Amino acid sequence: MAKGKSFAAKVAHDISNEGKQICPVCDTEIRRAKLILTRESKAGTWQPKYEFRNVCKCNEQDIMAGKI
């Protein structure tokens, strides 16, 4: 069984910027989000299109509203 982290260790891990990308414009963490878009196939049916995008406060509203 794995050893549990203490609350202080979890808070210290969340606060540290180690391994995180920070947006230079809005100074927030850049997260990767998987978007599921639709595309039309040659047969005229719809298929899902999976795409990963980097999301921060600069473009969060546009991506969540579907204005990709």
Side-chain angles (χ1 to χ4, degrees), residues 50-66:
Y50 302 103
E51 188 175 305
F52 286 94
R53 289 279 176 102
N54 293 332
V55 180
C56 67
K57 290 290 180 186
C58 299
N59 61 357
E60 183 178 36
Q61 292 295 324
D62 292 338
I63 289 176
M64 297 303 173

Side-chain angles (χ1 to χ4, degrees), residues 3 8 13-15 23-25 36 41-42 44 48 57-58 66:
K3 182 179 177 183
H13 177 73
D14 289 342
I15 291 174
C23 178
V25 177
I36 302 174
S41 68
K42 293 178 183 178
K57 290 290 180 186
C58 299

